[in-house]
């Protein structure tokens, strides 16, 4: 889903799987006032390479510069901006809420509505696993706010181009 | 190829030999001993030059590379030895100069444990290198060195650092010295796009007042001949950047000389009045564009660069062409028409006559006088090296350069202390050519210890110290923009530079009066027994003009000293 805030961007960077790559990539953003909102790094099909999916915030007029500066790094093979395209974009979150027996039915109802999974349940707490596009996770967070949220951990989004297009 | 067994340090030396390395500039230390040892045990022909400070080594390698077009190597130890190279690496990086920096490092298993003389130079240098490595095992040496040279010298050149733990350089390896490179992310320079070339040719054919802006990229790519052919065929005038001095003969009828903050008035006027600007191999540095939004506002702007990330960084071009300058020019020349630029050239000639670079020879001794006289006595043929400050700008104005690789100056970084070591490196690289260094009294004292290196190797450099007893360029800003409140610029306490030179066994001369300039410079040029230093006691409070205040539009150029009070400049420096 394309995001609407024009200061938010999603880059997919295909890099050599070598030490120091992340530091080099991070420096490109820091120097130019971009903030990394989320970052996912995982090995590619060919284990010599990794895929970074980076959620960023910063002035859109500087984005082309950022992409060119990244592409220039010796360890970067390619860099694409998926901010406004229709790539599949997913994220997972784990949310721990404090819920006692009295509140539990309502909490479970919301969890079920969002198609989430309860992955841990104790007399006083629930850990919920939610998978979806980042907006869905935001919406769930919003709904569950009425309970006491103890912790939230989100993986950060990963993207993949649809069809046979390359990410 | 078959594998051979040797020590890591020996493999390093053999690999450097394979890359054709002639000189290593460096300074020893514990963590680098295995490599220094290998210089002996391999009986290599590579010559090692022991400098007096690691910064000096980097500027020497830089000077060598700029003067010859070939990379040189810097070899230092870990910790402070490594951190002392940072200024020189940054200087080379800003000006796209190829350089290989080998730093010794503590043993691998002590990294991150504050071992003696451990510094994370790999991390510290990251923002100022084109690429860098931290070696993990001796068998990685051959492909890493191959890659380092390839990366440093191709595309847009730059410094590459290899950090070498002592267990790697002292370890045992069993290797093929001609290992394959493994840099899949390193992009080769694409051939110029044909349609873009046609588009550029078309734009040129419609222009009435075209102008070429030639930068360092022309020199790096060896496109000077091609540029000359293009300019002469179409009849386009050419202005050049500071680092572009020599890529187009500055004495040519079509040449306008350097543009920018302290460029010629006619070059800057041409920038304001052209209807098409063809920038080849310049990155539109802020010191040439002034206020970006105002720069060449109504002209069609064409940008040719080997580095695509330069497009739109400062100036958004109407046509951008990524490619090697020579490849682009050689293709473009086939498609450009001969233009009738007679009126335009006549107008520019009018500006040349109306606003020539000038100075007064009488009265107090002027830096310009020294530079101009040296220009004449050396027939404009010297490899000219500068430091940073007023003298640098006057050298750029008055020492016109006709050939590439003949003007060496720290442009992007503006590193004081660059001049003397860079001149030493240049003289090593070009032993048969005259090397003249124009250096301010401030910058000279930042690396003056390299007099020892120059003396030891009997390098016949002419070290011209333009001594105004001030950090002149800063004083000029304070005078013009801060109501002459001088602060932190008086160099009281300068030593007697001639005596200092003599202490190193270097011949010294003093010039104090305009009437002596020619005679003494001639004696200095005639002196052949090693380096000589010419201390010139010049006017203390002279100012460089023309000047475009930092951040101001090119239109706001001051050709003469201003009569009114100036606002503080909006640009940084
Ligand atoms: C390492 C370093 N420190 C400070 C500066 C700032 N700076 C630029 S020009 C200049 C004055 C240089 O004085 P000098 O070497 O005497 O040359 P002059 O301007 O007098 O010709 C200074 C301090 C610099 N460029 N480099
Ligand atoms: Mg001075």
């Amino acid at each position: 889903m394309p995001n609407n805030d024009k200061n938010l961007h999603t880059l997919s960077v295909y890099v050599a799987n070598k030490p120091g790559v992340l530091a080099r990539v991070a420096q490109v953003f820091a120097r130019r006032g971009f903030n990394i909102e989320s970052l996912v790094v995982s090995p590619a099909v060919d284990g010599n390479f990794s895929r970074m999916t980076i959620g960023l915030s910063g002035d859109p007029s500087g984005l082309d510069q950022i992409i060119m500066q990244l592409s220039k790094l010796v360890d970067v093979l390619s860099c694409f901006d998926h901010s406004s395209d229709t790539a599949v974009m997913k994220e997972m979150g784990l949310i721990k809420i404090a819920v006692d027996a009295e509140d539990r039915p309502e909490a479970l109802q919301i969890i079920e509505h969002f198609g989430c999974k309860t992955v841990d349940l104790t007399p006083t707490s629930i850990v919920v696993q939610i998978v979806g596009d980042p907006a869905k996770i935001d919406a769930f967070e919003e709904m569950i706010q009425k309970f006491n949220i103890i912790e939230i951990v989100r993986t950060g989004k990963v993207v993949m181009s649809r069809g046979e297009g390359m990410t | 190829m078959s594998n051979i067994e040797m020590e890591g340090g020996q493999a390093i030396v053999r690999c450097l030999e394979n890359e054709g390395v002639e000189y290593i500039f460096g300074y020893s230390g514990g963590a680098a001993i295995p490599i220094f040892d290998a210089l002996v045990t391999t009986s290599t022909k590579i010559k090692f030059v022991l400098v007096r400070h690691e910064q000096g080594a980097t500027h020497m390698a830089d000077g060598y590379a700029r003067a010859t077009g070939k990379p040189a190597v810097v070899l230092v130890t870990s910790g402070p030895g490594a951190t002392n190279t940072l200024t020189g690496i940054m200087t080379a990086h800003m000006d796209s100069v190829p350089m290989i920096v080998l730093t010794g490092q503590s043993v691998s298993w002590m990294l991150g444990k504050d071992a003696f003389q451990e510094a994370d130079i790999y991390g510290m240098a990251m923002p100022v290198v084109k690429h860098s490595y931290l070696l993990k095992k001796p068998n990685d040496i051959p492909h890493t060195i191959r890659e380092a040279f390839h990366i440093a010298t191709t595309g847009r050149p730059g410094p590459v650092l290899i950090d070498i733990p002592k267990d790697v350089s002292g370890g045992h390896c069993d290797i093929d010295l001609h290992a394959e490179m493994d840099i899949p992310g390193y992009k080769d320079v694409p051939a110029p796009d044909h349609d873009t070339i046609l588009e550029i040719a078309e734009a040129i054919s419609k222009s009435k007042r075209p102008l070429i802006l030639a930068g360092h990229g022309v020199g790096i790519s060896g496109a000077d001949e091609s540029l000359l052919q293009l300019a002469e065929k179409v009849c386009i005038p050419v202005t050049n950047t500071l680092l572009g001095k020599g890529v187009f003969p500055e004495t040519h009828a079509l040449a306008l000389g350097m543009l920018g903050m302290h460029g010629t008035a006619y070059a800057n006027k041409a920038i304001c009045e052209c209807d098409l600007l063809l920038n080849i191999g310049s990155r539109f540095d802020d010191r040439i564009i002034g206020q970006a939004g105002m720069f060449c506002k109504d002209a069609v702007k064409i940008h040719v660069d080997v580095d695509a990330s330069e497009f739109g960084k400062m100036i958004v071009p109407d046509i951008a062409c990524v490619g090697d300058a020579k490849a682009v020019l050689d293709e473009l020349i086939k498609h450009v028409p001969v233009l009738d630029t007679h009126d335009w050239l006549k107008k520019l000639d009018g500006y040349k006559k109306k606003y020539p670079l000038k100075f007064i020879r009488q009265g107090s001794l002027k830096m310009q006088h020294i530079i101009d006289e040296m220009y004449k006595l050396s027939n404009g043929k010297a490899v000219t090296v500068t430091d940073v400050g007023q003298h640098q700008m006057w050298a750029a104005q008055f020492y016109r350069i006709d050939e590439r690789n003949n003007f060496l100056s720290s442009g992007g970084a503006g590193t004081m202390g660059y001049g003397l070591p860079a001149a030493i490196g240049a003289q090593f690289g070009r032993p048969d050519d005259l090397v003249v260094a124009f250096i301010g009294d401030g910058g000279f004292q930042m690396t003056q210890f390299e007099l020892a290196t120059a003396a030891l190797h009997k390098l016949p450099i002419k070290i011209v110290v333009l001594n105004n007893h001030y950090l002149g360029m800063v004083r000029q800003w304070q005078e013009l923009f801060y109501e002459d409140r001088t602060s932190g610029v008086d160099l009281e306490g300068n030593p007697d530079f001639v005596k200092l030179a003599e202490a190193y066994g270097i011949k010294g001369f003093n010039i104090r009066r305009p009437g002596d300039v020619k005679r003494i410079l001639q004696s200095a040029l005639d002196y052949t027994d090693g380096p000589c230093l010419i201390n010139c006691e010049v006017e203390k409070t002279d100012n460089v003009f023309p000047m475009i205040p930092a951040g101001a539009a090119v239109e706001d150029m001051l050709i003469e000293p201003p009569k009114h009070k100036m606002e503080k400049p909006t640009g940084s420096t």
Side-chain angles (χ1 to χ4, degrees):
Chain A
M1 195 179 84
N3 63 46
N4 299 321
D5 184 340
K6 57 183 180 9
N7 284 318
L8 290 179
H9 321 282
T10 308
L11 297 184
S12 179
V13 192
Y14 195 59
V15 301
N17 186 2
K18 290 188 179 156
V21 179
L22 183 56
R24 287 182 216 273
V25 168
Q27 274 180 2
V28 170
F29 300 125
R31 189 87 186 107
R32 292 166 183 80
F34 275 67
N35 191 40
I36 297 178
E37 303 290 337
S38 69
L39 171 68
V40 182
V41 187
S42 57
V45 181
D46 177 342
N48 292 316
F49 303 102
S50 305
R51 166 80 57 193
M52 293 183 180
T53 310
I54 305 172
L56 275 183
S57 60
D59 185 351
S61 65
L63 192 65
D64 284 347
Q65 237 322 282
I66 292 271
I67 292 172
M68 288 193 289
Q69 293 291 345
L70 285 174
S71 308
K72 196 164 120 175
L73 295 175
V74 173
D75 287 336
V76 170
L77 282 90
S78 67
C79 174
F80 291 109
D81 173 21
H82 292 288
S83 308
S84 54
D85 65 22
T86 54
V88 179
M89 195 174 285
K90 297 287 176 196
E91 183 175 3
M92 188 185 92
L94 294 174
I95 303 177
K96 186 185 289 175
I97 42 180
V99 185
D100 55 18
E102 191 185 326
D103 283 342
R104 195 173 297 136
E106 190 187 352
L108 290 175
Q109 204 182 3
I110 297 172
I111 291 166
E112 192 184 347
H113 175 82
F114 276 87
C116 308
K117 249 172 142 176
T118 304
V119 289
D120 182 61
L121 185 68
T122 70
T124 55
S125 71
I126 299 177
V127 176
V128 185
Q129 170 193 308
I130 176 166
V131 179
D133 61 59
K136 174 179 164 181
I137 303 182
D138 291 343
F140 178 71
E141 251 184 73
E142 180 85 26
M143 281 302 287
I144 212 82
Q145 213 119 73
K146 61 191 297 188
F147 307 105
N148 183 12
I149 300 178
I150 302 169
E151 275 181 331
I152 298 177
V153 179
R154 292 170 64 157
T155 56
K157 58 195 160 188
V158 290
V159 296
M160 185 170 282
S161 294
R162 291 177 190 274
E164 292 186 9
M166 296 299 286
T167 306
Chain B
M1 276 292 192
S2 56
N3 284 9
I4 27 180
E5 292 186 34
M6 60 179 87
E7 222 183 63
Q10 295 173 324
I12 291 169
V13 173
R14 291 287 175 238
C15 289
L16 296 179
E17 285 172 346
N18 287 345
E19 298 299 332
V21 171
E22 199 183 2
Y23 283 104
I24 298 176
F25 301 97
Y27 211 88
S28 63
I33 287 182
I35 309 175
F36 280 88
D37 188 44
L39 290 174
V40 180
T41 57
T42 56
S43 314
T44 180
K45 291 214 164 54
I46 299 177
K47 288 166 276 216
F48 177 77
V49 177
L50 179 63
V51 302
R52 291 302 179 265
H53 184 293
E54 290 86 351
Q55 181 183 349
T58 54
H59 294 327
M60 282 179 211
D62 178 314
Y64 175 94
R66 292 194 211 213
T68 63
K70 295 184 290 186
V73 173
V74 173
L75 170 61
V76 299
T77 192
S78 64
T83 57
N84 273 347
T85 65
L86 281 173
T87 302
I89 296 175
M90 183 272 281
T91 304
H93 187 244
M94 288 292 266
D95 288 350
S96 309
V97 178
M99 180 185 296
I100 307 293
V101 181
L102 308 178
T103 53
Q105 181 56 278
S106 305
V107 289
S108 318
W109 56 90
M110 285 299 285
L111 296 190
K113 297 180 184 172
D114 299 332
F116 177 64
Q117 291 194 332
E118 182 203 345
D120 178 11
I121 194 67
Y122 175 71
M124 275 186 250
M126 237 178 226
V128 292
V129 293
K130 184 169 175 188
H131 196 54
S132 50
Y133 295 89
L134 170 55
L135 285 184
K136 290 279 153 60
K137 47 184 198 299
N139 280 1
D140 284 337
I141 289 167
H143 79 88
T144 304
I145 290 184
R146 186 73 276 277
E147 289 167 20
F149 276 82
H150 181 69
I151 291 168
T153 56
T154 55
R156 179 177 181 172
V160 176
L161 180 139
I162 309 177
D163 199 19
I164 310 168
K166 197 172 182 178
D167 51 307
V168 173
S169 56
H172 179 81
C173 51
D174 175 12
I175 43 168
D176 170 7
L177 286 175
H178 299 269
E180 294 284 313
M181 295 191 285
D182 176 28
I183 33 175
Y186 189 66
K187 292 117 203 139
D188 288 331
V189 178
D193 177 62
H194 189 65
D195 289 345
T196 311
I197 297 280
L198 293 182
E199 211 186 324
I200 296 173
E202 168 81 14
I204 292 175
S205 71
K206 288 187 190 143
S207 163
K208 298 255 175 311
R209 299 182 307 282
L211 177 66
I212 290 174
L213 164 55
H216 194 191
V218 175
I220 293 169
S221 116
D224 44 343
E225 270 299 319
S226 310
L227 175 62
L228 185 64
Q229 281 172 24
L230 182 93
E232 286 182 343
K233 176 176 174 189
V234 195
C235 297
I236 311 186
V238 180
T239 178
N240 54 264
T241 63
L242 179 72
L243 299 192
K245 272 178 76 70
V247 305
F248 187 82
E250 289 190 299
T251 53
H252 194 283
L254 288 169
L256 298 169
M258 183 176 79
L259 82 166
M261 184 179 278
H262 292 295
T264 65
Y266 31 95
N268 286 329
K269 291 239 171 235
I271 285 285
C272 296
E273 294 177 26
C274 68
D275 65 1
L276 176 139
L277 183 72
L278 173 58
N279 169 1
I280 308 162
S282 143
R283 61 183 168 83
F284 281 128
D285 176 75
D286 53 284
R287 285 213 160 186
I288 67 174
I289 62 170
Q291 198 182 325
M294 294 289 290
F295 181 77
C296 278
K297 226 172 41 206
D298 304 318
V300 174
K301 292 177 276 293
I302 302 166
H303 193 169
V304 176
D305 205 303
V306 75
D307 177 358
S309 72
E310 291 301 341
F311 301 140
K313 188 185 80 179
M314 302 297 295
I315 297 290
V316 179
D318 299 290
I319 307 172
C321 181
V322 65
D324 177 69
K326 183 162 169 27
V328 172
L329 285 170
D330 288 346
E331 198 50 39
L332 184 60
I333 202 162
K334 298 180 198 155
H335 303 286
V336 283
V338 178
L339 284 187
D340 176 11
T341 53
H342 183 79
D343 291 349
W344 172 229
L345 293 175
K346 214 170 136 200
K347 187 161 196 199
L348 295 176
D349 276 339
Y351 287 140
K352 282 188 187 176
K353 293 207 179 72
K354 193 162 171 208
Y355 307 111
L357 290 167
K358 57 175 194 269
F359 64 92
I360 301 164
R361 270 166 208 274
Q362 289 77 36
S364 59
L365 179 59
K366 305 289 190 307
M367 288 197 196
Q368 302 92 303
H369 187 172
I370 306 274
I371 296 162
D372 185 57
E373 196 60 56
M374 186 56 107
Y375 174 73
K376 289 178 184 142
L377 293 176
S378 59
N379 301 315
K381 293 274 184 280
V383 178
T384 306
V385 187
T386 79
D387 209 83
V388 170
Q390 290 185 310
H391 64 280
Q392 175 189 32
M393 292 298 114
W394 276 317
Q397 291 181 347
F398 289 93
Y399 204 109
R400 290 186 286 170
I401 305 283
D402 286 340
E403 281 171 55
R404 75 182 152 100
N405 298 353
N406 271 8
F407 188 79
L408 281 52
S409 193
S410 168
T415 302
M416 283 173 69
Y418 173 82
L420 177 61
I424 292 172
Q427 188 77 81
F428 273 120
R430 307 222 336 230
D432 300 328
D433 291 329
L434 171 65
V435 175
V436 174
F438 295 110
I439 308 180
D441 49 325
F444 179 71
Q445 292 179 76
M446 286 199 169
T447 47
Q448 66 184 20
F449 38 75
E450 299 301 350
L451 284 176
T453 314
L456 179 68
H457 295 273
K458 283 206 169 290
L459 302 173
I461 310 167
K462 312 302 166 194
I463 304 161
V464 183
V465 178
L466 295 164
N467 187 354
N468 54 9
H469 296 262
Y470 267 120
L471 297 173
M473 185 56 93
V474 182
R475 191 208 53 74
Q476 170 168 350
W477 279 51
Q478 292 174 342
E479 179 188 328
L480 294 179
F481 307 116
Y482 292 80
E483 293 160 338
D484 205 14
R485 285 189 298 277
T486 51
S487 172
V489 291
D490 190 341
L491 286 175
E492 57 181 350
N494 270 351
D496 179 330
F497 291 118
V498 165
K499 275 193 186 153
L500 182 78
E502 284 165 0
Y504 284 98
I506 290 176
K507 173 81 179 157
F509 299 89
N510 272 306
I511 304 182
R512 298 177 202 283
R513 290 185 320 226
D516 294 340
V517 173
K518 189 170 179 182
R519 182 178 53 83
I520 298 178
L521 285 183
Q522 188 59 58
S523 316
L525 286 168
D526 292 340
Y527 181 81
T528 49
D529 191 24
C532 65
L533 182 148
I534 308 103
N535 175 56
C536 309
E537 295 288 331
V538 296
E539 161 73 54
K540 292 178 77 171
T541 56
D542 200 1
N543 293 328
V544 188
F545 290 100
M547 177 176 196
I548 303 168
V554 180
E555 280 78 359
D556 299 331
M557 168 176 57
L558 304 164
I559 296 178
E560 310 250 300
K563 307 236 159 30
H564 53 277
K565 195 178 150 233
M566 300 291 297
E567 293 295 318
K568 287 190 183 125
T570 54
S572 67
T573 49

